[in-house]
Amino acid sequence: MTLALGRLLSPVLALCGLLAGCGTTYDMPGVDKAATNRAGILFAQAQVAPPRSPASARTGEERFNRVARRVQPVAEQLCRQELAPSKQVDCAVALELDRTMAERNAYFTYAKPGNKAPVIRLTVPMLQDVESDDEVAFILGHEYGHLIGQHIAKQQQQAMAGALILGAITAYGNAQAAAAGQSHDPNAISRSVELGAAVGQVAYSQTYELESDMLGTRIAAAAGYDPVKGAQFFARSESTRSKAGQLSFWGTHPPDSKRLAMVIATMAEIEGKQALARK
């Protein structure tokens, strides 16, 4: 390895370490065969469930407000418990209806730059499609999981690391080509930076979703809901969902059966701890 290459790769390797450190915050419950089998059964049952007509927008809004009143204080308490004040995380999340999006969706975002003013929004078509308060509770808990897991901040770090890694590698390649008198693409670095940022941002997307499922299970259960019943919303096939809008929730999400198995495993862990506490 030349000295120049070593100097280049040192920060690149450091950034790779940063990217690798952007995984989950929590140890995930082990998903055993029993959880996988039960998830498969529930998933199959949900897929063959008869179609249902969507609820009215008013019914969906009433359900949202009813569930939000119970879930919000539980989720905020967990957020404050899990995130030290030194991390400067705002746990006072605004729960809002998105009346503009025609798709089924639920999402966590920030209303102000700098990761300020956290917001969870559910679209009206999503609320028209749910079948129970348990489903809304799990959806809200899942979105809170993104805040508690600090997934947006981690994805921002990943995007920066990915951009710098690929940009540095491409710059080195261009320099080597120029030294050898070979032609090179002057726009290659900017394209590599964009590609690296995109790859970095989605590097742990599926892992974050599973972590949010685990945290959402804890929140929904603590609020008095059934997370396993709630998570079955995601197992219903497209053919059995109402046509109030197209589902836009799963672009970077793990397979639904795997997610349901994670919820089942998390509930088994919760119930196991509760049983020990009663002894």
Side-chain angles (χ1 to χ4, degrees), residues 35 40 44-45 64 70 83 94-95 98 100 114 138 151 177 183 189 191-192 202 231 239 241 249 267 271-272:
Q45 290 174 344
F64 173 80
R70 285 176 56 179
L83 300 179
L95 303 183
D98 185 333
T100 62
F138 181 77
H151 296 156
S183 62
I189 295 177
R191 288 201 300 270
S192 293
V202 301
S239 63
R241 293 184 176 118
F249 203 48
M267 274 306 301
E271 290 167 352

Side-chain angles (χ1 to χ4, degrees), residues 89-90 92-95 105-111 115-122 139-140 142-153 155 212 249:
V89 174
D90 184 0
V93 179
L95 303 183
N105 207 353
Y107 57 96
F108 168 73
T109 187
Y110 288 99
N115 293 349
K116 303 295 183 182
V119 181
I120 292 173
R121 295 191 179 103
L122 272 66
I139 292 168
L140 287 174
H142 171 90
E143 297 305 326
Y144 267 107
H146 286 306
L147 170 65
I148 298 171
Q150 300 183 81
H151 296 156
I152 288 181
Q155 285 179 325
S212 287
F249 203 48

Side-chain angles (χ1 to χ4, degrees), residues 8 11 19 23 26 44 54 57 97 117 124 142 147 157 162 181 194 217 235 239 242 245 251 254 261 271:
L8 173 66
L19 191 60
Y26 299 89
L97 284 174
V124 173
H142 171 90
L147 170 65
Q157 293 172 356
E194 292 176 1
T217 300
S239 63
S242 67
E271 290 167 352

Side-chain angles (χ1 to χ4, degrees), residues 8-209:
L8 173 66
L9 289 183
S10 292
V12 171
L13 292 173
L15 287 166
C16 287
L18 173 63
L19 191 60
C22 291
T24 59
T25 302
Y26 299 89
D27 292 330
M28 308 293 278
V31 178
D32 59 16
K33 187 175 180 180
T36 301
N37 289 342
R38 185 182 174 199
I41 293 170
L42 293 176
F43 185 76
Q45 290 174 344
Q47 285 196 308
V48 298
R52 58 179 291 275
S53 300
S56 68
R58 180 177 178 179
T59 297
E61 184 169 348
E62 290 173 348
R63 172 170 277 150
F64 173 80
N65 291 332
R66 180 171 62 247
V67 175
R69 284 193 295 269
R70 285 176 56 179
V71 169
Q72 190 170 38
V74 172
E76 287 190 10
Q77 181 180 5
L78 179 63
C79 179
R80 294 191 179 95
Q81 172 187 315
E82 296 294 302
L83 300 179
S86 60
K87 294 181 180 178
Q88 298 181 343
V89 174
D90 184 0
C91 292
V93 179
L95 303 183
E96 299 178 355
L97 284 174
D98 185 333
R99 295 184 174 86
T100 62
M101 187 180 293
E103 301 169 324
R104 299 180 188 84
N105 207 353
Y107 57 96
F108 168 73
T109 187
Y110 288 99
K112 296 181 181 179
N115 293 349
K116 303 295 183 182
V119 181
I120 292 173
R121 295 191 179 103
L122 272 66
T123 66
V124 173
M126 172 75 91
L127 289 166
Q128 289 180 275
D129 211 33
V130 298
E131 293 186 352
S132 68
D133 288 11
D134 297 295
E135 293 183 354
V136 176
F138 181 77
I139 292 168
L140 287 174
H142 171 90
E143 297 305 326
Y144 267 107
H146 286 306
L147 170 65
I148 298 171
Q150 300 183 81
H151 296 156
I152 288 181
K154 288 182 178 182
Q155 285 179 325
Q156 290 168 343
Q157 293 172 356
Q158 292 164 213
M160 183 180 297
L164 290 172
I165 290 169
L166 279 189
I169 291 173
T170 304
Y172 176 76
N174 282 357
Q176 291 291 91
Q182 301 171 351
S183 62
H184 60 276
D185 184 352
N187 298 317
I189 295 177
S190 62
R191 288 201 300 270
S192 293
V193 167
E194 292 176 1
L195 177 61
V199 171
Q201 191 170 20
V202 301
Y204 289 94
S205 292
Q206 292 200 8
T207 305
Y208 291 160
E209 294 303 327

